């Protein structure tokens, strides 16, 4: 895929189930031409369209079929019978002109007659063989693979050098900004924002699960160390109530969930566990603060992914069960817009989930919202300017775009991503309307990235002068 394929910041995503997506007649036409190796400009010329129109169609096609590249789209079209390699056989096909006089048959159900494709000259046969071999090789090198295959449970809750996947790289033309790198590379961590500082807590590192806490000052663009969390855990999230950061549960070094809740006082730089523990051990949950209470959804209890959900009242120091998640899952993310808590994406042990469900605390009620274009496990989810932004995710593969949700229209659109390739188990939060994401796992190593994005055209990481406002 060329550098401009996913560069635009807004295009409509269609279809909740990519594997069953139905392409329009125009999209099929464009996909067949792309499968012959034509560029966007050449496709536009053939169909008397603008290049931008072709790009929009391609984005819709990629979203519908779950492809991340032209190669994947081509191979998907071949497996569906939308495109075949020309050969001297009798078949049912509706011919569509492509370069070199070859035919690109449509799906059999659309074919009204039987045609015979004449044999190609040997020179063109050899050229086609080279193209097919090139596509096959590219697919073998880039097709997303499940990390859990052959590696057991270790890759589900703890990363290791055995958990291999395509490495993440910087996205061309990204509007995200880069800040000072986090001192300790890690994923499966928690991130909290308090008084103009980001607190990166715990997580999984090259040497194992850690309780380390590092603090990023937004004014100075510098990191500093803070008191480590007494109980090292990974697959966690953090909730902020006043100046206190709550970190419930998590998985210990062996991947076993805990019910311990530890609280960090950002003013005193001290940890305490003198609060009520969770009703049951859990890790890989989604957590969010709403009206000075903490809401925890799903996760893993060490045996299965659960739908159990709880609310924590700091005044009563008590966790209370609430209406369970409609879809049991772990590695989802939660954020608040208006009077609803959105729980998005996740992983069920087999596949990434595109599910979106919103919870209304006042009524203790769930309802479905429009699903993501593609499944995302281990994602970040942040609310900014009354919109939701997904960041990274993708357990069994990688994603080349983020998604933004508009609650008013109940729609998701694709947006810029700072990294392409696999990027999951990161941590994300917001300060005002600005979005921050740190760490994660890129398929081969833990990351120390520190990235920021604003929906508005301002510079985020420039240190402010003394006396300036936030």
């Amino acid at each position: 895929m060329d550098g401009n394929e996913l560069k635009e910041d807004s295009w409509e995503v269609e279809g909740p189930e990519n594997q069953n997506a139905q392409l329009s007649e125009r999209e099929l036409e464009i996909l067949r031409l792309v499968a012959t190796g034509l560029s966007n400009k050449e496709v536009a010329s053939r169909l008397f369209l603008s290049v931008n129109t072709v790009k929009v169609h391609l984005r819709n096609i990629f979203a519908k079929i779950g492809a991340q590249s032209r190669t994947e789209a081509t191979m998907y079209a071949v497996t569906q019978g939308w495109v075949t390699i020309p050969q001297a056989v009798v078949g049912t096909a509706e011919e569509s002109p492509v370069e070199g006089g070859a035919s690109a048959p449509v799906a059999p159900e659309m074919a009204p007659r039987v045609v015979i494709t004449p044999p190609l000259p040997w020179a063109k046969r050899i050229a086609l063989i080279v193209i097919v071999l090139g596509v096959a090789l590219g697919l073998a090198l880039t097709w997303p693979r499940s990390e859990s295959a052959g590696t057991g449970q270790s890759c589900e809750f703890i990363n290791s050098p055995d958990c291999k996947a395509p490495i993440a790289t910087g996205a061309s033309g990204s509007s995200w900004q880069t800040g000072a790198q986090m001192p300790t590379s890690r994923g499966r961590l928690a991130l909290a924002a308090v008084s103009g500082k980001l607190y990166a807590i715990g997580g999984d590192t090259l040497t194992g699960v850690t309780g380390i806490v590092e603090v990023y000052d937004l004014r100075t663009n510098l990191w500093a160390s803070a008191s480590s969390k007494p109980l090292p855990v990974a697959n966690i999230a953090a909730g902020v109530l006043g100046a206190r950061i709550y970190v419930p549960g998590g998985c210990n070094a062996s991947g076993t969930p805990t019910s311990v809740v530890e609280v960090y006082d950002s003013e005193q730089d001290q940890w305490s566990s003198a609060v009520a523990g969770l009703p049951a051990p859990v890790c890989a949950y989604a957590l969010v603060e709403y009206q000075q209470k903490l809401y925890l959804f799903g996760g893993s209890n060490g045996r299965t992914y659960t739908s159990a959900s709880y609310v924590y009242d700091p005044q009563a120091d008590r966790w209370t069960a609430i209406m369970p998640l409609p879809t049991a899952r772990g590695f989802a993310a939660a954020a608040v817009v208006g009077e609803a808590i959105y729980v998005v994406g996740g992983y069920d042990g087999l596949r990434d989930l595109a599910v979106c469900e919103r919870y209304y605390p006042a009524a203790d009620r769930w309802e479905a919202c429009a699903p993501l274009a593609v499944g995302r496990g281990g994602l970040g989810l942040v609310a900014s300017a009354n919109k939701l932004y997904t960041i990274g995710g993708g357990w069994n593969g990688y994603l080349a775009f983020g998604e933004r949700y508009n609650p008013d229209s109940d729609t998701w659109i694709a947006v810029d991503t700072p990294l392409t390739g696999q990027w999951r188990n990161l941590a994300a939060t917001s300060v005002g309307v600005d979005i921050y994401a740190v760490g994660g796992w890129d398929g081969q190593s833990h990351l120390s990235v520190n990235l920021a994005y604003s929906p508005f055209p301002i510079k985020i990481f420039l240190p402010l002068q003394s006396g300036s406002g936030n």
Side-chain angles (χ1 to χ4, degrees):
M1 182 164 53
D2 61 55
N4 294 322
E5 287 305 322
L6 290 170
K7 195 169 181 180
E8 284 83 351
D9 195 30
S10 61
W11 48 278
E12 292 292 337
V13 173
E14 302 178 22
E17 297 292 341
N18 297 328
Q19 298 305 316
N20 298 319
Q22 296 296 317
L23 299 188
S24 68
E25 188 172 337
R26 174 63 83 184
E27 289 169 342
L28 282 168
E29 191 175 23
I30 289 174
L31 180 54
R32 293 190 195 101
L33 293 177
V34 166
T36 69
L38 295 183
S39 67
N40 290 349
K41 185 177 180 180
E42 290 169 327
V43 172
S45 177
R46 292 284 185 103
L47 301 179
F48 302 100
L49 301 173
S50 71
V51 174
N52 284 336
T53 298
V54 172
K55 289 181 179 179
V56 170
H57 279 302
L58 282 176
R59 286 174 173 78
N60 288 337
I61 292 168
F62 285 4
K64 285 183 177 182
I65 68 177
Q68 302 294 323
S69 70
R70 300 167 81 94
T71 298
E72 290 180 22
T74 297
M75 297 307 293
Y76 183 89
V78 170
T79 62
Q80 295 298 309
W82 298 339
V83 175
T84 62
I85 301 302
Q87 53 186 319
V89 297
V90 177
T92 58
E94 176 73 8
E95 292 185 303
S96 175
V98 294
E99 187 174 14
S103 299
V106 300
E109 63 270 17
M110 298 173 61
R113 59 193 177 89
V114 175
V115 298
I116 301 177
T117 303
L120 290 175
W122 277 106
K124 289 190 176 181
R125 293 188 195 184
I126 294 172
L128 279 171
I129 291 172
V130 171
I131 291 172
V132 172
L133 290 175
V135 168
L137 178 60
L139 185 62
L141 293 174
T142 63
W143 190 267
R145 296 173 171 81
S146 171
E147 284 190 5
S148 59
T151 56
Q153 288 289 99
S154 63
C155 289
E156 202 155 343
F157 298 102
I158 299 174
N159 291 324
S160 76
D162 294 329
C163 304
K164 299 296 185 183
I167 193 167
T169 57
S172 173
S174 174
S175 57
W176 285 70
Q177 308 244 347
T178 301
Q181 298 291 286
M182 187 167 54
T184 303
S185 300
R186 48 188 159 145
R188 305 175 184 271
L189 70 161
L191 185 67
V194 181
S195 300
K197 295 181 179 180
L198 304 182
Y199 292 77
I201 303 168
D204 181 47
T205 71
L206 180 63
T207 57
V209 173
T210 183
I212 194 170
V213 177
E214 292 166 337
V215 186
Y216 177 70
D217 192 322
L218 299 177
R219 286 179 171 271
T220 63
N221 191 30
L222 295 174
W223 288 89
S225 296
S227 295
S228 293
K229 185 177 181 299
L231 177 62
V233 284
N235 301 301
I236 52 176
V240 177
L241 298 174
R244 291 155 63 89
I245 302 173
Y246 289 71
V247 182
C251 292
N252 62 21
S254 64
T256 303
T258 176
S259 61
V260 174
V261 178
E262 294 185 320
V263 183
Y264 177 76
D265 187 324
S266 62
E267 295 178 343
Q268 301 297 322
D269 187 30
Q270 293 180 346
W271 285 92
S272 170
S273 58
V275 294
L278 291 167
V282 68
C283 65
Y285 51 80
L287 183 73
V288 72
E289 181 274 331
Y290 176 74
Q291 293 188 348
Q292 288 302 297
K293 294 181 179 180
L294 299 180
Y295 290 80
L296 184 150
F297 305 99
S300 171
N301 59 19
R303 301 179 303 278
T304 185
Y305 289 104
T306 177
S307 61
S309 302
Y310 306 97
V311 59
Y312 176 74
D313 183 346
Q315 299 300 318
D317 188 27
R318 182 173 61 242
W319 292 89
T320 304
I322 57 177
M323 186 67 67
L325 264 171
T327 305
R329 50 198 153 127
F331 300 103
V336 175
V337 176
E339 298 178 350
I341 299 173
Y342 290 78
V343 182
V344 176
Y347 183 69
D348 65 2
L350 296 174
R351 61 193 177 100
D352 295 296
L353 301 177
V355 65
C356 174
E357 294 164 338
R358 57 183 164 224
Y359 175 74
Y360 292 92
D364 191 25
R365 175 176 62 87
W366 287 95
E367 70 178 22
C369 39
L372 296 163
V374 288
R376 296 175 184 269
L379 76 162
L381 184 72
V382 176
S384 176
N386 295 317
K387 302 288 194 302
L388 294 177
Y389 291 80
T390 69
I391 307 165
W395 203 274
N396 291 327
Y398 59 91
L399 303 174
F401 57 91
E403 297 183 53
R404 183 178 68 213
Y405 177 76
N406 185 342
D408 295 334
S409 59
D410 190 30
T411 56
W412 294 89
I413 63 173
V415 295
D416 196 11
T417 180
L419 298 179
T420 58
Q422 189 176 93
W423 183 32
R424 62 168 172 79
N425 298 127
L426 63 143
T429 190
S430 64
V431 178
V433 297
D434 297 333
I435 298 169
Y436 296 86
V438 302
W441 171 258
D442 71 357
Q444 298 196 29
S445 60
H446 302 86
L447 301 177
S448 61
V449 296
N450 177 19
L451 301 157
Y453 171 81
S454 175
F456 305 103
I458 60 174
K459 292 191 180 297
I460 299 171
F461 278 108
L462 291 179
L464 301 176
Q465 298 295 324
S466 177
S468 299
N470 288 328

